Amino acid sequence: MAGGKVNDGPRILVFSTDKISDPAIDMAGLLKLHYPPTVYTISIPCSSAVKPRWILHALEQGFDGVFIAADGTDCPYGESCTEKTGQVVSTTMQMMKDKGMDPARLKMAAICSVCSEPFVNHVKSFSEYLRKSSNS
Amino acid sequence: MKKKIGVYICHCGGNISDYVDVEKVREAVKNEEGVFLAKTTMFACADSNQKEMVEDIRKEALDGVVVASCSPKLHLLTFRGVVERAGMNKYNYVHANIREQVSWAHSDNKPGATEKAIQVVKAAIAKVRHAEALEPIKVKSTKAVAVIGAGVAGMRAAIELAEAGAEVYLIEREYFVGGRTAQWDDLCITEETGKELVTRLYDEVMKHKHVTLFTGAELVDYSGSVGNFNLKVKVTPRYFKLQCSSDELQKAIEVCPVEVPDEFNFNITTRKAIYHNYPSEYPQLPAIDMKNCTRCGECEKVCSSVDFSQKTEMLNLKVGSILLATGFDPYEPKKGEFGYGEIDNVVTFPQFKRIVHYCDDKLMYKGKEIKHIAYIYCVGSRQVDGENKYCSRYCCTANIHTAITVKKKYKNIYNYHFNRGIRTYGKAEVWYDESSRLGDIYLQSFEDHPPVVEKRGDQTFVKIRDILTTDKELEVAADLVVLVTGMVPRADNSIGNLLKVPKGRDKFFNEIHMKLRPVETVIDGVTIAGASQGPKNIMESMNSALAAATKSFSLVDSGELALEPTVARVNEEACEWCGKCEEACPYSAFEKVEKNGKTIAKVNAAVCKGCGMCLPVCPENALDLIGLSDEDVESMIDALIPNA
Ligand SMILES: Cc1cc2nc3c(=O)[nH]c(=O)nc-3n(C[C@H](O)[C@H](O)[C@H](O)COP(=O)(O)OP(=O)(O)OC[C@H]3O[C@@H](n4cnc5c(N)ncnc54)[C@H](O)[C@@H]3O)c2cc1C
Ligand code: SF4
Ligand code: SF4
């Protein structure tokens, strides 16, 4: 293997949830549905728990994009999750704009516990977007 | 900060090491800050490795441990157990998933998988570095279990739970118990009929003073969580007093003017709005089906037990665990699928079971005697184009068993089995053998050439390209065509949505892991049993019911539950009481308190579920989840970036 980074695609940090999206992401692996190996997950209890500062930290430290695998209406902690996660996203996007960052580097989509394929499709197209926008 | 961290990287046979260079991962992490030892192991979960870990922790006085292996859903608890056995607080253990989320997900890119594995393990090390020893939160749990569905699985589970000493609420949506099994006479694997089996289970259920059976009952809402669920159960009355004379009942059924298709007989007969499915059914008390009753009052005139004054009740029950045993529906073929709904002598296997029940010495259907029967297998199962890719398991065996019964019960029966490869697994092979000896004919095709059912004149033909006779086209003139239909999830499975139980690819309820945690769901405290989880015969349903009962019991037995201590925590210095967290918390876990002359927020740890919804709303950043502090998350983020 030559030196340097093997994985030079856009780096994506996924905030996924213990009960809902983690099982889907695990199942994507089980089904060998491939996605770029530059996609990393940090597991949290609920998608509405993500602090904007974590997202900004990731983007400032070198991640190209952050993907929130939201619980949506499946959230075991209640209906308000969707709205609250949306709130986190819009607050953070505003902060990103203020800092001159492209708000589209943050993406959110509901990923249910069996949404392995949608997950893979989302991160692939997000990765594609990030690749293009970094080249432009 | 930890200084003596042990890191174990698993090959998982080759599941990980075929794609991830585990040796390279070890090399890359062994000099990370705080790492004292780093090892690779063939199977981290094997007894021998667990022993070695315990020895390492003790001998080297390790203060933190990381295992990089399969998903934490499978083995987080295993390894927490290992470190506890070595005397370490289990929250000083951190799990890294390098199988489902690395080696398998990136099996197409080995160098890429290896690099990702390195970062993932580094992130786990970063997390364990400032992990804190924590004590679980103890909450009282209610020593009661709600079993939903009184089919064979639900009743078996209820008996087991009651015998173990739990209070059991058995909640059945229909007015009668037994589920599908009550609909079958002859059963395979056991000599008992469906009714006998249901009767035996019902008697046992009723014998236990700790089981309360509710019929016509449905869970409509719930709150709380494992150990303490509050259930709202709607009980619809049968509109009958507890005692009822059979003569009066007979008259009431006669005079009822409303006639509807009888679902118990899969609509091949009709029943009245006042009904029971069969005379000896349990509970032995008829019911009035209010969806169809016109309140004409005819029955009331002839039967003193009819009581229209009964009211729907809402019950509040408190339980520690919920066991779902809501069963399955038979697949309903589409109109025109193998002639169903278009050719009049095409029926489903469940309908056929009911026809055989009603015919004593001659097998008759729509006024004609039946001699030649064509069975078409795998209808609604193993679909090439449709969604049901799975084998329904019960049908080959149950159908061959029924074909033998029919041959023995009536004269001059000829059975033709149009199959896709018979799957009479286990002991059931003996019936396959017996039916062949009795002269049944087996014709087989591949999935791309299913048999064709056609009506020509007044005869129905089934045609096949039979691969057992070198692809010859063969045809049978059949008096009756039986579609051997598979199992599908209940059409009304809304209870799954209510409890947020995930469904698998087959749309049945999904367990956490088929082998390791086969009756638990990702919703803590909710277990699953029987055919609600996927196609199962009676024995398999009962076995899973026993497993689920044991699991549910283990959650309520001691009256106390240890919950994850990963709850919210207020930084008292930073908090300026604005009330935003109180507003955001869906469980009302926050209180406004006065402390040292300052108004601040306080978390009630037993109420907090650790969801973290409050974290982002705090304008002072005064909130953290224990185990998920800014430091935890941000150090993991840093570690995930190579060369950081
Ligand atoms: C035609 C046919 C023949 C068969 N023959 C055999 C055989 O010979 N041998 C054999 O081993 N197996 C046989 N089987 C399989 C057998 O029927 C199943 O294994 C068995 O019925 C599964 O039991 P269960 O309790 O899991 O589910 P079910 O029998 O479906 O019972 C589930 C119960 O839950 C209730 N319920 C559903 N939803 C709710 C709700 N929301 N709230 C409350 N209650 C609810 C239902 O009303 C029902 O009473 C046959 C199946 C078919 C279709
Ligand atoms: S048990 Fe037999 S009939 Fe049923 S789906 Fe499997 S192979 Fe087909
Ligand atoms: S949101 Fe923050 S500042 Fe406001 S009361 Fe809660 S902890 Fe205190």
Side-chain angles (χ1 to χ4, degrees):
Chain A
M1 233 177 293
K5 282 191 277 177
V6 189
N7 296 335
D8 54 2
R11 302 199 156 261
I12 298 174
L13 179 65
V14 179
F15 283 107
S16 73
T17 68
D18 270 350
K19 291 196 167 60
I20 307 296
S21 49
D22 274 354
I25 302 174
D26 280 357
M27 195 157 81
L30 186 71
L31 300 173
K32 306 250 162 99
L33 300 173
H34 300 304
Y35 52 92
T38 43
V39 173
Y40 296 87
T41 55
I42 288 183
S43 191
I44 50 176
C46 168
S47 50
S48 62
V50 179
K51 287 189 187 176
R53 64 175 273 168
W54 301 344
I55 301 173
L56 294 175
H57 184 85
L59 296 173
E60 280 160 359
Q61 293 307 308
F63 274 97
D64 299 289
V66 172
F67 180 86
I68 300 183
D71 284 345
T73 48
D74 288 349
C75 179
Y77 300 110
E79 288 147 23
S80 62
C81 171
T82 315
E83 189 202 318
K84 284 178 184 147
T85 311
Q87 193 60 48
V88 168
V89 170
S90 55
T91 311
T92 314
M93 281 186 168
Q94 190 52 52
M95 292 162 95
M96 289 166 72
K97 276 187 214 155
D98 295 346
K99 286 178 180 268
M101 290 181 185
D102 172 12
R105 287 171 66 193
L106 171 61
K107 196 177 150 137
M108 170 187 79
I111 300 291
C112 72
S113 57
V114 290
C115 292
S116 307
E117 259 185 64
F119 169 75
V120 169
N121 293 338
H122 277 300
V123 291
K124 274 187 178 165
S125 66
F126 190 30
S127 174
E128 209 36 55
Y129 169 81
L130 293 169
R131 183 193 303 280
K132 278 192 194 135
S133 64
S134 76
N135 290 340
S136 62
Chain B
M1 279 293 232
K2 303 228 163 17
K3 294 196 182 66
K4 296 192 88 178
I5 299 168
V7 180
Y8 298 82
I9 303 151
C10 184
H11 283 251
C12 191
N15 281 302
I16 294 171
S17 54
D18 284 353
Y19 312 104
V20 168
D21 183 342
V22 289
E23 214 33 69
K24 196 168 167 197
V25 177
R26 196 186 75 81
E27 281 298 318
V29 304
K30 72 175 191 211
N31 295 324
E32 282 289 287
E33 190 193 336
V35 173
F36 180 79
L37 64 84
K39 293 181 172 180
T40 60
T41 160
M42 191 46 76
F43 289 105
C45 57
D47 275 354
S48 55
N49 184 66
Q50 295 194 20
K51 275 199 197 108
E52 193 178 321
M53 283 174 65
V54 171
E55 276 164 26
D56 287 349
I57 296 168
R58 287 203 182 126
K59 201 168 104 222
E60 311 292 355
L62 299 181
D63 55 6
V65 170
V66 169
V67 175
S69 59
C70 52
S71 165
K73 302 277 172 295
L74 305 181
H75 279 312
L76 174 71
L77 298 181
T78 312
F79 296 120
R80 277 186 174 175
V82 171
V83 302
E84 264 191 325
R85 285 205 297 283
M88 180 188 279
N89 181 284
K90 65 182 175 188
Y91 296 96
N92 286 323
Y93 171 75
V94 171
H95 198 93
N97 179 353
I98 59 164
R99 192 178 75 177
E100 283 79 354
Q101 296 197 5
V102 182
S103 70
W104 284 349
H106 312 299
S107 56
D108 58 337
N109 177 355
K110 292 184 192 179
T114 302
E115 191 191 294
K116 178 170 173 183
I118 291 170
Q119 307 313 136
V120 168
V121 179
K122 283 185 179 172
I125 295 168
K127 184 160 187 206
V128 85
R129 229 179 264 140
H130 22 66
E132 306 163 46
L134 302 170
E135 287 312 316
I137 299 169
K138 299 266 162 81
V139 295
K140 285 208 164 27
S141 72
T142 313
K143 199 166 176 177
V145 178
V147 176
I148 317 284
V152 287
M155 287 199 285
R156 182 71 261 174
I159 295 163
E160 196 63 18
L161 282 161
E163 259 164 25
E167 199 63 40
V168 184
Y169 303 108
L170 180 54
I171 298 165
E172 170 56 51
R173 183 161 64 185
E174 301 293 325
Y175 289 107
F176 305 98
V177 302
R180 298 281 171 207
T181 304
Q183 292 172 289
W184 327 133
D185 283 347
D186 278 0
L187 293 180
C188 45
I189 316 218
T190 150
E191 296 284 295
E192 277 177 308
T193 64
K195 283 176 201 164
E196 284 163 355
L197 175 58
V198 168
T199 306
R200 182 161 60 78
L201 289 171
Y202 178 79
D203 286 344
E204 272 187 67
V205 163
M206 297 317 278
K207 225 170 50 200
H208 272 287
K209 60 178 189 301
H210 290 300
V211 187
T212 315
L213 168 69
F214 300 98
T215 54
E218 230 178 324
L219 180 64
V220 289
D221 201 6
Y222 88 107
S223 62
S225 56
V226 57
N228 291 293
F229 290 106
N230 299 301
L231 310 184
K232 198 163 248 157
V233 177
K234 181 171 148 194
V235 185
T236 324
R238 341 167 67 91
Y239 303 101
F240 255 88
K241 291 183 193 135
L242 277 178
Q243 302 298 330
C244 168
S245 100
S246 60
D247 287 351
E248 284 189 7
L249 170 66
Q250 207 43 48
K251 271 191 216 130
I253 293 178
E254 272 162 31
V255 300
C256 173
V258 177
E259 202 157 321
V260 293
D262 186 352
E263 287 180 358
F264 188 79
N265 288 331
F266 300 99
N267 304 341
I268 58 172
T269 59
T270 55
R271 66 156 166 79
K272 298 295 183 68
I274 165 171
Y275 75 107
H276 50 48
N277 291 326
Y278 55 90
S280 59
E281 193 171 25
Y282 294 101
Q284 284 188 349
L285 201 63
I288 294 179
D289 153 17
M290 266 304 157
K291 271 192 238 97
N292 291 299
C293 167
T294 58
R295 297 294 291 267
C296 68
E298 290 300 320
C299 55
E300 218 175 355
K301 290 183 198 152
V302 295
C303 177
S304 54
S305 303
V306 172
D307 179 1
F308 282 114
S309 72
Q310 293 179 358
K311 294 259 170 344
T312 296
E313 274 181 89
M314 279 291 183
L315 302 178
N316 293 312
L317 302 175
K318 233 177 137 59
V319 298
S321 173
I322 301 172
L323 188 155
L324 284 181
T326 51
F328 70 101
D329 275 339
Y331 172 75
E332 176 71 14
K334 299 200 179 60
K335 192 168 164 34
E337 189 174 354
F338 297 107
Y340 187 72
E342 288 173 351
I343 301 174
D344 61 354
N345 53 348
V346 177
V347 299
T348 64
F349 177 37
Q351 288 173 328
F352 184 58
K353 290 286 282 187
R354 300 308 299 159
I355 295 168
V356 173
H357 167 83
Y358 282 109
C359 295
D360 285 334
D361 44 344
K362 272 188 191 162
L363 184 60
M364 304 289 291
Y365 184 62
K366 297 203 168 158
K368 285 192 202 140
E369 189 176 353
I370 306 297
K371 295 208 161 93
H372 295 268
I373 310 170
Y375 305 94
I376 299 180
Y377 286 71
C378 302
V379 178
S381 309
R382 301 170 70 191
Q383 290 176 325
V384 181
D385 299 324
E387 287 198 337
N388 309 343
K389 303 289 178 212
Y390 53 85
C391 163
S392 290
R393 300 176 62 91
Y394 87 96
C395 18
C396 278
T397 303
N399 188 66
I400 291 175
H401 183 265
T402 305
I404 296 172
T405 307
V406 168
K407 200 153 198 169
K408 289 181 175 166
K409 187 168 174 186
Y410 313 107
K411 286 200 194 82
N412 300 325
I413 293 286
Y414 300 91
N415 290 322
Y416 306 90
H417 302 263
F418 292 82
N419 68 88
R420 281 177 45 193
I422 291 292
R423 295 182 172 178
T424 41
Y425 57 93
K427 275 191 189 162
E429 202 75 0
V430 296
W431 289 301
Y432 186 17
D433 183 59
E434 183 180 352
S435 114
S436 305
R437 282 173 204 279
L438 287 171
D440 281 13
I441 302 218
Y442 284 81
L443 307 109
Q444 192 174 329
S445 62
F446 288 122
E447 60 274 20
D448 52 353
H449 267 94
V452 176
V453 183
E454 284 178 344
K455 185 130 190 171
R456 296 203 295 273
D458 58 359
Q459 254 307 2
T460 302
F461 295 91
V462 184
K463 201 162 61 180
I464 192 172
R465 251 173 56 191
D466 177 35
I467 57 174
L468 303 178
T469 48
T470 58
D471 262 359
K472 264 207 186 90
E473 190 159 286
L474 299 173
E475 191 172 68
V476 168
D479 303 323
L480 191 69
V481 178
V482 177
L483 305 183
V484 184
T485 44
M487 291 185 177
V488 292
R490 290 249 167 209
D492 178 6
N493 242 348
S494 49
I495 186 157
N497 302 341
L498 176 69
L499 294 170
K500 308 274 193 298
V501 173
K503 297 178 181 126
R505 260 173 297 166
D506 55 11
K507 309 254 163 64
F508 288 92
F509 296 147
N510 208 9
E511 65 285 335
I512 293 181
H513 186 274
M514 200 194 289
K515 290 182 194 157
L516 298 171
R517 298 173 74 182
V519 293
E520 287 165 87
T521 68
V522 292
I523 308 304
D524 292 335
V526 178
T527 58
I528 47 178
S532 66
Q533 188 185 14
K536 286 188 181 63
N537 65 26
I538 292 170
M539 193 172 71
E540 292 160 348
S541 299
M542 300 265 217
N543 285 344
S544 77
L546 294 179
T550 309
K551 189 72 226 177
S552 279
F553 186 72
S554 74
L555 297 173
V556 303
D557 175 32
S558 70
E560 194 181 67
L561 259 181
L563 296 186
E564 292 287 300
T566 45
V567 294
R569 172 164 64 182
V570 180
N571 175 340
E572 297 178 352
E573 263 163 47
C575 172
E576 296 293 343
W577 180 258
C578 62
K580 291 217 163 93
C581 51
E582 190 188 31
E583 238 171 74
C585 175
Y587 304 100
S588 316
F590 284 95
E591 263 180 276
K592 179 176 165 181
V593 295
E594 298 294 325
K595 198 164 172 191
N596 305 330
K598 192 178 168 200
T599 313
I600 53 166
K602 179 171 176 264
V603 180
N604 180 345
V607 177
C608 173
K609 298 274 180 291
C611 63
M613 285 195 192
C614 54
L615 306 190
V617 305
C618 175
E620 308 295 334
N621 194 30
L623 293 171
D624 260 336
L625 276 189
I626 296 177
L628 201 75
S629 65
D630 292 346
E631 197 183 22
D632 288 324
V633 176
E634 288 165 9
S635 67
M636 279 195 285
I637 292 174
D638 295 344
L640 285 174
I641 297 166
N643 314 325

